[in-house]
Amino acid sequence: MEPFLNEEQLAIRDLARTIAQEKVKPVRARYDEESIFPWDIVEELAKVDLFRVFIPSAYDGLVESGLGVTNMCLATEELSKACAGIALAFAGTALGTFPILLYGTEEQKKKYLPQIASGRRLAAFGLTEPMAGSDASAQRTTARRVGSEYVLNGTKVFITNGGEADIYTTVALTNPEKGARGASCLIIEKGTPGFSFGKKETKMGIHASVTRELIFEDARVPRENLLGREGMGFIVAMKTFDVSRPGVAAQALGIAEGALEEALRYAHQRHQFGQSILNFQGLQWMLADMATQIEAARALIYTLAARVDAGDTKDIGHLSAMAKLYASDVAMKVTTDAVQILGGYGYMTDYPVEKMMRDAKITQIYEGTNQIQRNVIGSWLAKEGARLAR
Ligand SMILES: Cc1cc2nc3c(=O)[nH]c(=O)nc-3n(C[C@H](O)[C@H](O)[C@H](O)COP(=O)(O)OP(=O)(O)OC[C@H]3O[C@@H](n4cnc5c(N)ncnc54)[C@H](O)[C@@H]3O)c2cc1C
């Protein structure tokens, strides 16, 4: 019995689970070791229509109403149970697509969403710059309006799916004098003259995901690629994070679930002092905490995702921040404890828990660090406090 999910969502979860277990698990260690981008897995996901689960039916997707955030979370969770890096080709595409889903015109949606739904073209989201990390308002990339085009100059860093994706929703300053209020979000296609890819990062974890610079040198983008209105770029980014952060939370949840499974399997089989180490209360208590935290994270994510899918996206910033904050801290704790439960073997690459521990770390950092999530929750609480005191 699954209290949160309907039949269709259960079917999506099972489909993603099958691919994760049958296709992702066997290759995850090699893809991690050799930093291989998982194009073959992308093809498998496309074959079973998993890129359609967050796209409305009007644009070749499967979503009848709302944003399909629950579907996106379920697929991300299942894929991340097997490999969080491979899962990111999917989840990063959802992140890059949300600005179009939220702010795209009919023409933009008709043009781009069916391509993404088919899995033929991946998406990415370009906000971060060398001087604009947590302070995303410190953008330097400019998009100067010249006739019927925007001319972009600047560099984005740390962009997931960079170089592999075809569609980049990107924030740039159309009115630099206005600072964050002068930022706009544009759709930029790979192959645009003046748009190239720079440094590919070498990372602690999620090696099967590519993290790369986007470089704009007089890159010309048609004006019709503007999302929303000029000056709305920062709002587009923040509203995107409201609905994409549950996806990072789901990735973290998947990593934690995968690690708990490995720890349980190992603890059952491993014998010390003449018995299974799973009999030791010291380990059972650790496992009890891990399992409890996972269930709490799941409840937080699924209820939030259901709320978003029901169309309630107005005042959810603090809830998205809570889901991402809590689930990623759980993932870090659970994977660290899983390594501990496997002892010396947990530290070795022969077992997947050391990779899970490395992968978990990123969920505390991207789409806003956990300090920033606490700031979001804190400022919501400050407003609540003022309201209660009135
Ligand atoms: C693997 C990877 C993939 C990524 N993918 C993308 C992507 O697809 N698209 C994209 O746009 N970006 C992406 N990012 C960027 C990511 O979102 C940023 O790295 C993140 O927001 C933090 O910015 P920063 O690295 O500049 O750290 P900084 O902002 O320099 O932060 C450094 C430290 O200071 C703390 N800090 C900063 N400000 C405050 C504050 N006000 N209060 C308390 N503490 C604070 C931070 O929490 C952190 O601990 C990715 C990053 C990585 C590593």
Side-chain angles (χ1 to χ4, degrees), residues 125 127-128 133-134 158-160 203 206 211 362 365-369 371-372 375:
F125 183 60
L127 177 67
T128 305
S134 297
F158 298 168
I159 306 306
T160 299
K203 306 187 290 289
I206 54 164
T211 313
I362 191 58
I365 296 174
Y366 58 19
E367 292 197 31
T369 65
Q371 283 75 32
I372 296 303
N375 288 351

mmCIF file with all atom_site columns, all heavy atoms in Angstrom, residues 125 127-128 133-134 158-160 203 206 211 362 365-369 371-372 375, ligand 1:
data_model
loop_
_atom_site.group_PDB
_atom_site.id
_atom_site.type_symbol
_atom_site.label_atom_id
_atom_site.label_alt_id
_atom_site.label_comp_id
_atom_site.label_asym_id
_atom_site.label_entity_id
_atom_site.label_seq_id
_atom_site.pdbx_PDB_ins_code
_atom_site.Cartn_x
_atom_site.Cartn_y
_atom_site.Cartn_z
_atom_site.occupancy
_atom_site.B_iso_or_equiv
_atom_site.pdbx_formal_charge
_atom_site.auth_seq_id
_atom_site.auth_comp_id
_atom_site.auth_asym_id
_atom_site.auth_atom_id
_atom_site.pdbx_PDB_model_num
ATOM   1   N N   . PHE A 1 125 ? 20.146 24.223 -17.257 1.00 0.00 ? 125 PHE A N   1
ATOM   2   C CA  . PHE A 1 125 ? 19.775 25.529 -16.706 1.00 0.00 ? 125 PHE A CA  1
ATOM   3   C C   . PHE A 1 125 ? 21.047 26.289 -16.343 1.00 0.00 ? 125 PHE A C   1
ATOM   4   O O   . PHE A 1 125 ? 21.863 25.802 -15.551 1.00 0.00 ? 125 PHE A O   1
ATOM   5   C CB  . PHE A 1 125 ? 18.905 25.312 -15.458 1.00 0.00 ? 125 PHE A CB  1
ATOM   6   C CG  . PHE A 1 125 ? 18.405 26.585 -14.838 1.00 0.00 ? 125 PHE A CG  1
ATOM   7   C CD1 . PHE A 1 125 ? 17.612 27.464 -15.548 1.00 0.00 ? 125 PHE A CD1 1
ATOM   8   C CD2 . PHE A 1 125 ? 18.732 26.903 -13.522 1.00 0.00 ? 125 PHE A CD2 1
ATOM   9   C CE1 . PHE A 1 125 ? 17.145 28.645 -14.973 1.00 0.00 ? 125 PHE A CE1 1
ATOM   10  C CE2 . PHE A 1 125 ? 18.260 28.074 -12.930 1.00 0.00 ? 125 PHE A CE2 1
ATOM   11  C CZ  . PHE A 1 125 ? 17.466 28.947 -13.669 1.00 0.00 ? 125 PHE A CZ  1
ATOM   12  N N   . LEU A 1 127 ? 22.532 29.430 -14.600 1.00 0.00 ? 127 LEU A N   1
ATOM   13  C CA  . LEU A 1 127 ? 22.395 30.605 -13.736 1.00 0.00 ? 127 LEU A CA  1
ATOM   14  C C   . LEU A 1 127 ? 23.754 31.002 -13.145 1.00 0.00 ? 127 LEU A C   1
ATOM   15  O O   . LEU A 1 127 ? 24.154 32.159 -13.192 1.00 0.00 ? 127 LEU A O   1
ATOM   16  C CB  . LEU A 1 127 ? 21.402 30.300 -12.599 1.00 0.00 ? 127 LEU A CB  1
ATOM   17  C CG  . LEU A 1 127 ? 21.192 31.406 -11.565 1.00 0.00 ? 127 LEU A CG  1
ATOM   18  C CD1 . LEU A 1 127 ? 20.495 32.611 -12.194 1.00 0.00 ? 127 LEU A CD1 1
ATOM   19  C CD2 . LEU A 1 127 ? 20.363 30.891 -10.382 1.00 0.00 ? 127 LEU A CD2 1
ATOM   20  N N   . THR A 1 128 ? 24.485 30.020 -12.612 1.00 0.00 ? 128 THR A N   1
ATOM   21  C CA  . THR A 1 128 ? 25.708 30.296 -11.844 1.00 0.00 ? 128 THR A CA  1
ATOM   22  C C   . THR A 1 128 ? 26.825 30.883 -12.717 1.00 0.00 ? 128 THR A C   1
ATOM   23  O O   . THR A 1 128 ? 27.027 30.461 -13.855 1.00 0.00 ? 128 THR A O   1
ATOM   24  C CB  . THR A 1 128 ? 26.206 28.992 -11.176 1.00 0.00 ? 128 THR A CB  1
ATOM   25  O OG1 . THR A 1 128 ? 25.133 28.469 -10.402 1.00 0.00 ? 128 THR A OG1 1
ATOM   26  C CG2 . THR A 1 128 ? 27.402 29.240 -10.279 1.00 0.00 ? 128 THR A CG2 1
ATOM   27  N N   . GLY A 1 133 ? 27.375 32.949 -7.311  1.00 0.00 ? 133 GLY A N   1
ATOM   28  C CA  . GLY A 1 133 ? 27.042 31.597 -6.834  1.00 0.00 ? 133 GLY A CA  1
ATOM   29  C C   . GLY A 1 133 ? 25.808 31.685 -5.973  1.00 0.00 ? 133 GLY A C   1
ATOM   30  O O   . GLY A 1 133 ? 24.687 31.840 -6.479  1.00 0.00 ? 133 GLY A O   1
ATOM   31  N N   . SER A 1 134 ? 26.000 31.648 -4.646  1.00 0.00 ? 134 SER A N   1
ATOM   32  C CA  . SER A 1 134 ? 24.856 31.810 -3.740  1.00 0.00 ? 134 SER A CA  1
ATOM   33  C C   . SER A 1 134 ? 24.163 33.145 -4.003  1.00 0.00 ? 134 SER A C   1
ATOM   34  O O   . SER A 1 134 ? 22.939 33.244 -3.942  1.00 0.00 ? 134 SER A O   1
ATOM   35  C CB  . SER A 1 134 ? 25.322 31.770 -2.282  1.00 0.00 ? 134 SER A CB  1
ATOM   36  O OG  . SER A 1 134 ? 25.884 30.505 -2.005  1.00 0.00 ? 134 SER A OG  1
ATOM   37  N N   . PHE A 1 158 ? 29.812 25.637 -13.931 1.00 0.00 ? 158 PHE A N   1
ATOM   38  C CA  . PHE A 1 158 ? 29.216 24.505 -13.200 1.00 0.00 ? 158 PHE A CA  1
ATOM   39  C C   . PHE A 1 158 ? 27.859 24.097 -13.771 1.00 0.00 ? 158 PHE A C   1
ATOM   40  O O   . PHE A 1 158 ? 26.944 23.759 -13.003 1.00 0.00 ? 158 PHE A O   1
ATOM   41  C CB  . PHE A 1 158 ? 29.018 24.848 -11.718 1.00 0.00 ? 158 PHE A CB  1
ATOM   42  C CG  . PHE A 1 158 ? 30.264 25.146 -10.928 1.00 0.00 ? 158 PHE A CG  1
ATOM   43  C CD1 . PHE A 1 158 ? 30.181 25.704 -9.656  1.00 0.00 ? 158 PHE A CD1 1
ATOM   44  C CD2 . PHE A 1 158 ? 31.522 24.860 -11.426 1.00 0.00 ? 158 PHE A CD2 1
ATOM   45  C CE1 . PHE A 1 158 ? 31.310 25.977 -8.897  1.00 0.00 ? 158 PHE A CE1 1
ATOM   46  C CE2 . PHE A 1 158 ? 32.669 25.127 -10.683 1.00 0.00 ? 158 PHE A CE2 1
ATOM   47  C CZ  . PHE A 1 158 ? 32.556 25.690 -9.416  1.00 0.00 ? 158 PHE A CZ  1
ATOM   48  N N   . ILE A 1 159 ? 27.679 24.113 -15.079 1.00 0.00 ? 159 ILE A N   1
ATOM   49  C CA  . ILE A 1 159 ? 26.353 23.830 -15.626 1.00 0.00 ? 159 ILE A CA  1
ATOM   50  C C   . ILE A 1 159 ? 26.191 22.328 -15.922 1.00 0.00 ? 159 ILE A C   1
ATOM   51  O O   . ILE A 1 159 ? 26.909 21.748 -16.755 1.00 0.00 ? 159 ILE A O   1
ATOM   52  C CB  . ILE A 1 159 ? 26.066 24.681 -16.888 1.00 0.00 ? 159 ILE A CB  1
ATOM   53  C CG1 . ILE A 1 159 ? 26.281 26.161 -16.559 1.00 0.00 ? 159 ILE A CG1 1
ATOM   54  C CG2 . ILE A 1 159 ? 24.647 24.409 -17.404 1.00 0.00 ? 159 ILE A CG2 1
ATOM   55  C CD1 . ILE A 1 159 ? 25.519 26.717 -15.351 1.00 0.00 ? 159 ILE A CD1 1
ATOM   56  N N   . THR A 1 160 ? 25.247 21.726 -15.220 1.00 0.00 ? 160 THR A N   1
ATOM   57  C CA  . THR A 1 160 ? 24.929 20.306 -15.387 1.00 0.00 ? 160 THR A CA  1
ATOM   58  C C   . THR A 1 160 ? 24.399 20.071 -16.797 1.00 0.00 ? 160 THR A C   1
ATOM   59  O O   . THR A 1 160 ? 23.568 20.851 -17.285 1.00 0.00 ? 160 THR A O   1
ATOM   60  C CB  . THR A 1 160 ? 23.873 19.892 -14.329 1.00 0.00 ? 160 THR A CB  1
ATOM   61  O OG1 . THR A 1 160 ? 24.435 20.097 -13.040 1.00 0.00 ? 160 THR A OG1 1
ATOM   62  C CG2 . THR A 1 160 ? 23.455 18.437 -14.500 1.00 0.00 ? 160 THR A CG2 1
ATOM   63  N N   . LYS A 1 203 ? 35.254 16.184 -10.628 1.00 0.00 ? 203 LYS A N   1
ATOM   64  C CA  . LYS A 1 203 ? 34.495 16.342 -9.386  1.00 0.00 ? 203 LYS A CA  1
ATOM   65  C C   . LYS A 1 203 ? 34.741 15.226 -8.362  1.00 0.00 ? 203 LYS A C   1
ATOM   66  O O   . LYS A 1 203 ? 35.243 14.159 -8.698  1.00 0.00 ? 203 LYS A O   1
ATOM   67  C CB  . LYS A 1 203 ? 32.989 16.364 -9.713  1.00 0.00 ? 203 LYS A CB  1
ATOM   68  C CG  . LYS A 1 203 ? 32.601 17.407 -10.771 1.00 0.00 ? 203 LYS A CG  1
ATOM   69  C CD  . LYS A 1 203 ? 31.103 17.503 -10.935 1.00 0.00 ? 203 LYS A CD  1
ATOM   70  C CE  . LYS A 1 203 ? 30.449 16.301 -11.578 1.00 0.00 ? 203 LYS A CE  1
ATOM   71  N NZ  . LYS A 1 203 ? 30.733 16.161 -13.003 1.00 0.00 ? 203 LYS A NZ  1
ATOM   72  N N   . ILE A 1 206 ? 29.315 12.184 -8.503  1.00 0.00 ? 206 ILE A N   1
ATOM   73  C CA  . ILE A 1 206 ? 28.457 12.242 -9.705  1.00 0.00 ? 206 ILE A CA  1
ATOM   74  C C   . ILE A 1 206 ? 29.297 12.356 -10.990 1.00 0.00 ? 206 ILE A C   1
ATOM   75  O O   . ILE A 1 206 ? 29.056 13.220 -11.832 1.00 0.00 ? 206 ILE A O   1
ATOM   76  C CB  . ILE A 1 206 ? 27.367 13.357 -9.608  1.00 0.00 ? 206 ILE A CB  1
ATOM   77  C CG1 . ILE A 1 206 ? 27.945 14.737 -9.287  1.00 0.00 ? 206 ILE A CG1 1
ATOM   78  C CG2 . ILE A 1 206 ? 26.272 12.978 -8.629  1.00 0.00 ? 206 ILE A CG2 1
ATOM   79  C CD1 . ILE A 1 206 ? 26.963 15.908 -9.581  1.00 0.00 ? 206 ILE A CD1 1
ATOM   80  N N   . THR A 1 211 ? 29.656 18.549 -15.856 1.00 0.00 ? 211 THR A N   1
ATOM   81  C CA  . THR A 1 211 ? 29.497 19.878 -15.264 1.00 0.00 ? 211 THR A CA  1
ATOM   82  C C   . THR A 1 211 ? 30.455 20.798 -16.015 1.00 0.00 ? 211 THR A C   1
ATOM   83  O O   . THR A 1 211 ? 31.673 20.606 -15.945 1.00 0.00 ? 211 THR A O   1
ATOM   84  C CB  . THR A 1 211 ? 29.858 19.851 -13.761 1.00 0.00 ? 211 THR A CB  1
ATOM   85  O OG1 . THR A 1 211 ? 29.217 18.731 -13.157 1.00 0.00 ? 211 THR A OG1 1
ATOM   86  C CG2 . THR A 1 211 ? 29.448 21.128 -13.058 1.00 0.00 ? 211 THR A CG2 1
ATOM   87  N N   . ILE A 1 362 ? 26.935 16.456 -3.113  1.00 0.00 ? 362 ILE A N   1
ATOM   88  C CA  . ILE A 1 362 ? 26.496 17.532 -4.011  1.00 0.00 ? 362 ILE A CA  1
ATOM   89  C C   . ILE A 1 362 ? 25.070 17.992 -3.710  1.00 0.00 ? 362 ILE A C   1
ATOM   90  O O   . ILE A 1 362 ? 24.718 19.148 -3.939  1.00 0.00 ? 362 ILE A O   1
ATOM   91  C CB  . ILE A 1 362 ? 26.642 17.121 -5.507  1.00 0.00 ? 362 ILE A CB  1
ATOM   92  C CG1 . ILE A 1 362 ? 26.447 18.343 -6.420  1.00 0.00 ? 362 ILE A CG1 1
ATOM   93  C CG2 . ILE A 1 362 ? 25.670 16.022 -5.903  1.00 0.00 ? 362 ILE A CG2 1
ATOM   94  C CD1 . ILE A 1 362 ? 27.374 19.480 -6.175  1.00 0.00 ? 362 ILE A CD1 1
ATOM   95  N N   . ILE A 1 365 ? 24.795 21.013 -1.857  1.00 0.00 ? 365 ILE A N   1
ATOM   96  C CA  . ILE A 1 365 ? 25.434 22.206 -2.432  1.00 0.00 ? 365 ILE A CA  1
ATOM   97  C C   . ILE A 1 365 ? 24.620 22.829 -3.575  1.00 0.00 ? 365 ILE A C   1
ATOM   98  O O   . ILE A 1 365 ? 24.383 24.037 -3.575  1.00 0.00 ? 365 ILE A O   1
ATOM   99  C CB  . ILE A 1 365 ? 26.871 21.865 -2.908  1.00 0.00 ? 365 ILE A CB  1
ATOM   100 C CG1 . ILE A 1 365 ? 27.746 21.472 -1.707  1.00 0.00 ? 365 ILE A CG1 1
ATOM   101 C CG2 . ILE A 1 365 ? 27.480 23.026 -3.689  1.00 0.00 ? 365 ILE A CG2 1
ATOM   102 C CD1 . ILE A 1 365 ? 29.139 20.974 -2.049  1.00 0.00 ? 365 ILE A CD1 1
ATOM   103 N N   . TYR A 1 366 ? 24.204 22.000 -4.570  1.00 0.00 ? 366 TYR A N   1
ATOM   104 C CA  . TYR A 1 366 ? 23.629 22.691 -5.745  1.00 0.00 ? 366 TYR A CA  1
ATOM   105 C C   . TYR A 1 366 ? 22.149 23.032 -5.596  1.00 0.00 ? 366 TYR A C   1
ATOM   106 O O   . TYR A 1 366 ? 21.491 22.597 -4.687  1.00 0.00 ? 366 TYR A O   1
ATOM   107 C CB  . TYR A 1 366 ? 23.967 22.008 -7.062  1.00 0.00 ? 366 TYR A CB  1
ATOM   108 C CG  . TYR A 1 366 ? 23.586 20.580 -7.315  1.00 0.00 ? 366 TYR A CG  1
ATOM   109 C CD1 . TYR A 1 366 ? 22.627 19.914 -6.598  1.00 0.00 ? 366 TYR A CD1 1
ATOM   110 C CD2 . TYR A 1 366 ? 24.213 19.902 -8.371  1.00 0.00 ? 366 TYR A CD2 1
ATOM   111 C CE1 . TYR A 1 366 ? 22.295 18.606 -6.902  1.00 0.00 ? 366 TYR A CE1 1
ATOM   112 C CE2 . TYR A 1 366 ? 23.894 18.598 -8.683  1.00 0.00 ? 366 TYR A CE2 1
ATOM   113 C CZ  . TYR A 1 366 ? 22.931 17.961 -7.944  1.00 0.00 ? 366 TYR A CZ  1
ATOM   114 O OH  . TYR A 1 366 ? 22.613 16.683 -8.247  1.00 0.00 ? 366 TYR A OH  1
ATOM   115 N N   . GLU A 1 367 ? 21.713 23.862 -6.550  1.00 0.00 ? 367 GLU A N   1
ATOM   116 C CA  . GLU A 1 367 ? 20.378 24.505 -6.474  1.00 0.00 ? 367 GLU A CA  1
ATOM   117 C C   . GLU A 1 367 ? 20.221 25.272 -5.158  1.00 0.00 ? 367 GLU A C   1
ATOM   118 O O   . GLU A 1 367 ? 19.163 25.278 -4.545  1.00 0.00 ? 367 GLU A O   1
ATOM   119 C CB  . GLU A 1 367 ? 19.254 23.498 -6.716  1.00 0.00 ? 367 GLU A CB  1
ATOM   120 C CG  . GLU A 1 367 ? 19.270 23.013 -8.157  1.00 0.00 ? 367 GLU A CG  1
ATOM   121 C CD  . GLU A 1 367 ? 18.001 22.355 -8.617  1.00 0.00 ? 367 GLU A CD  1
ATOM   122 O OE1 . GLU A 1 367 ? 16.920 22.731 -8.136  1.00 0.00 ? 367 GLU A OE1 1
ATOM   123 O OE2 . GLU A 1 367 ? 18.102 21.472 -9.473  1.00 0.00 ? 367 GLU A OE2 1
ATOM   124 N N   . GLY A 1 368 ? 21.310 25.887 -4.740  1.00 0.00 ? 368 GLY A N   1
ATOM   125 C CA  . GLY A 1 368 ? 21.350 26.623 -3.478  1.00 0.00 ? 368 GLY A CA  1
ATOM   126 C C   . GLY A 1 368 ? 21.905 25.742 -2.384  1.00 0.00 ? 368 GLY A C   1
ATOM   127 O O   . GLY A 1 368 ? 21.381 24.653 -2.125  1.00 0.00 ? 368 GLY A O   1
ATOM   128 N N   . THR A 1 369 ? 22.984 26.209 -1.743  1.00 0.00 ? 369 THR A N   1
ATOM   129 C CA  . THR A 1 369 ? 23.579 25.405 -0.662  1.00 0.00 ? 369 THR A CA  1
ATOM   130 C C   . THR A 1 369 ? 22.569 25.288 0.487   1.00 0.00 ? 369 THR A C   1
ATOM   131 O O   . THR A 1 369 ? 21.588 26.041 0.539   1.00 0.00 ? 369 THR A O   1
ATOM   132 C CB  . THR A 1 369 ? 24.855 26.078 -0.108  1.00 0.00 ? 369 THR A CB  1
ATOM   133 O OG1 . THR A 1 369 ? 24.473 27.317 0.506   1.00 0.00 ? 369 THR A OG1 1
ATOM   134 C CG2 . THR A 1 369 ? 25.885 26.326 -1.202  1.00 0.00 ? 369 THR A CG2 1
ATOM   135 N N   . GLN A 1 371 ? 22.993 26.224 3.434   1.00 0.00 ? 371 GLN A N   1
ATOM   136 C CA  . GLN A 1 371 ? 22.937 27.484 4.182   1.00 0.00 ? 371 GLN A CA  1
ATOM   137 C C   . GLN A 1 371 ? 21.885 28.392 3.535   1.00 0.00 ? 371 GLN A C   1
ATOM   138 O O   . GLN A 1 371 ? 21.105 29.043 4.234   1.00 0.00 ? 371 GLN A O   1
ATOM   139 C CB  . GLN A 1 371 ? 24.307 28.187 4.164   1.00 0.00 ? 371 GLN A CB  1
ATOM   140 C CG  . GLN A 1 371 ? 25.352 27.607 5.098   1.00 0.00 ? 371 GLN A CG  1
ATOM   141 C CD  . GLN A 1 371 ? 25.929 26.295 4.578   1.00 0.00 ? 371 GLN A CD  1
ATOM   142 O OE1 . GLN A 1 371 ? 26.042 26.070 3.376   1.00 0.00 ? 371 GLN A OE1 1
ATOM   143 N NE2 . GLN A 1 371 ? 26.303 25.414 5.491   1.00 0.00 ? 371 GLN A NE2 1
ATOM   144 N N   . ILE A 1 372 ? 21.884 28.434 2.228   1.00 0.00 ? 372 ILE A N   1
ATOM   145 C CA  . ILE A 1 372 ? 20.908 29.287 1.521   1.00 0.00 ? 372 ILE A CA  1
ATOM   146 C C   . ILE A 1 372 ? 19.479 28.769 1.759   1.00 0.00 ? 372 ILE A C   1
ATOM   147 O O   . ILE A 1 372 ? 18.550 29.564 1.929   1.00 0.00 ? 372 ILE A O   1
ATOM   148 C CB  . ILE A 1 372 ? 21.263 29.364 0.011   1.00 0.00 ? 372 ILE A CB  1
ATOM   149 C CG1 . ILE A 1 372 ? 22.622 30.059 -0.180  1.00 0.00 ? 372 ILE A CG1 1
ATOM   150 C CG2 . ILE A 1 372 ? 20.156 30.061 -0.789  1.00 0.00 ? 372 ILE A CG2 1
ATOM   151 C CD1 . ILE A 1 372 ? 22.736 31.469 0.397   1.00 0.00 ? 372 ILE A CD1 1
ATOM   152 N N   . ASN A 1 375 ? 18.447 30.043 4.916   1.00 0.00 ? 375 ASN A N   1
ATOM   153 C CA  . ASN A 1 375 ? 18.112 31.480 4.802   1.00 0.00 ? 375 ASN A CA  1
ATOM   154 C C   . ASN A 1 375 ? 16.689 31.653 4.273   1.00 0.00 ? 375 ASN A C   1
ATOM   155 O O   . ASN A 1 375 ? 15.944 32.508 4.747   1.00 0.00 ? 375 ASN A O   1
ATOM   156 C CB  . ASN A 1 375 ? 19.080 32.191 3.837   1.00 0.00 ? 375 ASN A CB  1
ATOM   157 C CG  . ASN A 1 375 ? 20.462 32.359 4.427   1.00 0.00 ? 375 ASN A CG  1
ATOM   158 O OD1 . ASN A 1 375 ? 20.689 32.105 5.607   1.00 0.00 ? 375 ASN A OD1 1
ATOM   159 N ND2 . ASN A 1 375 ? 21.407 32.786 3.603   1.00 0.00 ? 375 ASN A ND2 1
HETATM 160 C C1  . LIG B 2 .   ? 28.289 19.558 -9.632  1.00 0.00 ? 1   LIG B C1  1
HETATM 161 C C2  . LIG B 2 .   ? 27.604 20.881 -9.709  1.00 0.00 ? 1   LIG B C2  1
HETATM 162 C C3  . LIG B 2 .   ? 26.564 21.051 -10.597 1.00 0.00 ? 1   LIG B C3  1
HETATM 163 C C4  . LIG B 2 .   ? 25.917 22.292 -10.708 1.00 0.00 ? 1   LIG B C4  1
HETATM 164 N N1  . LIG B 2 .   ? 24.934 22.476 -11.639 1.00 0.00 ? 1   LIG B N1  1
HETATM 165 C C5  . LIG B 2 .   ? 24.449 23.737 -11.866 1.00 0.00 ? 1   LIG B C5  1
HETATM 166 C C6  . LIG B 2 .   ? 23.545 23.995 -12.945 1.00 0.00 ? 1   LIG B C6  1
HETATM 167 O O1  . LIG B 2 .   ? 23.127 23.083 -13.672 1.00 0.00 ? 1   LIG B O1  1
HETATM 168 N N2  . LIG B 2 .   ? 23.142 25.272 -13.157 1.00 0.00 ? 1   LIG B N2  1
HETATM 169 C C7  . LIG B 2 .   ? 23.568 26.315 -12.388 1.00 0.00 ? 1   LIG B C7  1
HETATM 170 O O2  . LIG B 2 .   ? 23.181 27.452 -12.648 1.00 0.00 ? 1   LIG B O2  1
HETATM 171 N N3  . LIG B 2 .   ? 24.416 26.087 -11.328 1.00 0.00 ? 1   LIG B N3  1
HETATM 172 C C8  . LIG B 2 .   ? 24.865 24.832 -11.055 1.00 0.00 ? 1   LIG B C8  1
HETATM 173 N N4  . LIG B 2 .   ? 25.739 24.617 -10.015 1.00 0.00 ? 1   LIG B N4  1
HETATM 174 C C9  . LIG B 2 .   ? 26.134 25.737 -9.167  1.00 0.00 ? 1   LIG B C9  1
HETATM 175 C C10 . LIG B 2 .   ? 25.632 25.646 -7.744  1.00 0.00 ? 1   LIG B C10 1
HETATM 176 O O3  . LIG B 2 .   ? 24.259 25.911 -7.673  1.00 0.00 ? 1   LIG B O3  1
HETATM 177 C C11 . LIG B 2 .   ? 26.493 26.586 -6.881  1.00 0.00 ? 1   LIG B C11 1
HETATM 178 O O4  . LIG B 2 .   ? 27.777 25.984 -6.786  1.00 0.00 ? 1   LIG B O4  1
HETATM 179 C C12 . LIG B 2 .   ? 25.920 26.848 -5.515  1.00 0.00 ? 1   LIG B C12 1
HETATM 180 O O5  . LIG B 2 .   ? 24.740 27.591 -5.613  1.00 0.00 ? 1   LIG B O5  1
HETATM 181 C C13 . LIG B 2 .   ? 26.894 27.568 -4.580  1.00 0.00 ? 1   LIG B C13 1
HETATM 182 O O6  . LIG B 2 .   ? 27.536 28.632 -5.204  1.00 0.00 ? 1   LIG B O6  1
HETATM 183 P P1  . LIG B 2 .   ? 29.146 28.745 -5.094  1.00 0.00 ? 1   LIG B P1  1
HETATM 184 O O7  . LIG B 2 .   ? 29.699 27.440 -5.507  1.00 0.00 ? 1   LIG B O7  1
HETATM 185 O O8  . LIG B 2 .   ? 29.578 29.942 -5.832  1.00 0.00 ? 1   LIG B O8  1
HETATM 186 O O9  . LIG B 2 .   ? 29.434 28.927 -3.554  1.00 0.00 ? 1   LIG B O9  1
HETATM 187 P P2  . LIG B 2 .   ? 29.466 30.293 -2.721  1.00 0.00 ? 1   LIG B P2  1
HETATM 188 O O10 . LIG B 2 .   ? 28.227 31.070 -2.982  1.00 0.00 ? 1   LIG B O10 1
HETATM 189 O O11 . LIG B 2 .   ? 30.760 30.964 -2.937  1.00 0.00 ? 1   LIG B O11 1
HETATM 190 O O12 . LIG B 2 .   ? 29.383 29.753 -1.227  1.00 0.00 ? 1   LIG B O12 1
HETATM 191 C C14 . LIG B 2 .   ? 30.539 29.373 -0.476  1.00 0.00 ? 1   LIG B C14 1
HETATM 192 C C15 . LIG B 2 .   ? 30.081 29.069 0.939   1.00 0.00 ? 1   LIG B C15 1
HETATM 193 O O13 . LIG B 2 .   ? 29.496 30.244 1.544   1.00 0.00 ? 1   LIG B O13 1
HETATM 194 C C16 . LIG B 2 .   ? 28.208 29.962 2.020   1.00 0.00 ? 1   LIG B C16 1
HETATM 195 N N5  . LIG B 2 .   ? 27.361 31.154 1.875   1.00 0.00 ? 1   LIG B N5  1
HETATM 196 C C17 . LIG B 2 .   ? 27.260 31.987 0.820   1.00 0.00 ? 1   LIG B C17 1
HETATM 197 N N6  . LIG B 2 .   ? 26.364 32.953 1.051   1.00 0.00 ? 1   LIG B N6  1
HETATM 198 C C18 . LIG B 2 .   ? 25.865 32.728 2.308   1.00 0.00 ? 1   LIG B C18 1
HETATM 199 C C19 . LIG B 2 .   ? 24.897 33.361 3.117   1.00 0.00 ? 1   LIG B C19 1
HETATM 200 N N7  . LIG B 2 .   ? 24.224 34.432 2.717   1.00 0.00 ? 1   LIG B N7  1
HETATM 201 N N8  . LIG B 2 .   ? 24.656 32.838 4.362   1.00 0.00 ? 1   LIG B N8  1
HETATM 202 C C20 . LIG B 2 .   ? 25.324 31.742 4.795   1.00 0.00 ? 1   LIG B C20 1
HETATM 203 N N9  . LIG B 2 .   ? 26.255 31.090 4.058   1.00 0.00 ? 1   LIG B N9  1
HETATM 204 C C21 . LIG B 2 .   ? 26.515 31.576 2.827   1.00 0.00 ? 1   LIG B C21 1
HETATM 205 C C22 . LIG B 2 .   ? 27.709 28.808 1.135   1.00 0.00 ? 1   LIG B C22 1
HETATM 206 O O14 . LIG B 2 .   ? 26.658 28.095 1.738   1.00 0.00 ? 1   LIG B O14 1
HETATM 207 C C23 . LIG B 2 .   ? 28.981 27.986 0.989   1.00 0.00 ? 1   LIG B C23 1
HETATM 208 O O15 . LIG B 2 .   ? 29.137 27.189 2.123   1.00 0.00 ? 1   LIG B O15 1
HETATM 209 C C24 . LIG B 2 .   ? 26.341 23.371 -9.872  1.00 0.00 ? 1   LIG B C24 1
HETATM 210 C C25 . LIG B 2 .   ? 27.360 23.177 -8.942  1.00 0.00 ? 1   LIG B C25 1
HETATM 211 C C26 . LIG B 2 .   ? 28.004 21.957 -8.870  1.00 0.00 ? 1   LIG B C26 1
HETATM 212 C C27 . LIG B 2 .   ? 29.135 21.801 -7.888  1.00 0.00 ? 1   LIG B C27 1
#
